[in-house]
Amino acid sequence: QVELVESGGGLVQPGGSLTLSCGGSGHTFSNYAMGWFRQAPGKEREFVAVVTWTGITYYEESVKGRFTISRDYAKNTVVLQMNSLKPEDTAVYYCAAGRRPRINSDQRALTEYSPWGQGTQVTVST
């Protein structure tokens, strides 16, 4: 069974940092892009960042310079380091694997990704 599992969410004050991790099992994702998305209450799920199979990274404009996405091929994991967090970053964060192998383009559409993890809650508040 192919599965992605996120961890690392929690409550943090504005300006703080969190590190999200996503581990894959049942499949090796080294030839696939790995992305992070988020969904705030009452809003649609949106793209946050992606790292391609060769390590190229793309970011949503509002997180550039604050978030860093990286991957560990040996551990089959992807990490989202989030710094300078703002209340508007509050959301459930999901990781997902690209559907098609060996793609280096900037994939932001949700339909480009499967499978998905179950999500982890990030709350930025005083």
Side-chain angles (χ1 to χ4, degrees):
Q1 180 180 354
V2 179
E3 190 175 26
L4 294 172
V5 179
E6 302 96 337
S7 61
L11 172 65
V12 63
Q13 292 187 344
S17 298
L18 276 177
T19 303
L20 305 183
S21 294
C22 173
S25 62
H27 184 72
T28 299
F29 295 100
S30 58
N31 287 334
Y32 295 82
M34 299 295 293
W36 283 95
F37 295 76
R38 64 187 179 186
Q39 187 166 17
K43 295 187 176 181
E44 294 186 351
R45 193 171 300 187
E46 64 176 8
F47 168 82
V48 175
V50 61
V51 55
T52 71
W53 74 292
T54 61
I56 299 170
T57 58
Y58 300 97
Y59 296 93
E60 193 271 328
E61 196 64 31
S62 71
V63 308
K64 279 183 180 179
R66 300 188 299 121
F67 290 11
T68 302
I69 188 171
S70 60
R71 66 190 301 168
D72 186 322
Y73 294 94
K75 295 182 179 179
N76 213 27
T77 59
V78 60
V79 171
L80 186 68
Q81 175 65 44
M82 305 186 295
N83 299 325
S84 302
L85 282 161
K86 304 175 181 180
E88 51 264 42
D89 295 318
T90 295
V92 177
Y93 282 71
Y94 299 88
C95 73
R99 288 182 180 273
R100 298 174 293 157
R102 292 178 286 278
I103 300 295
N104 273 323
S105 58
D106 185 355
Q107 301 181 92
R108 301 188 178 219
L110 275 65
T111 53
E112 295 282 355
Y113 293 85
S114 178
W116 291 78
Q118 83 290 346
T120 185
Q121 177 70 47
V122 171
T123 303
V124 185
S125 175
T126 56

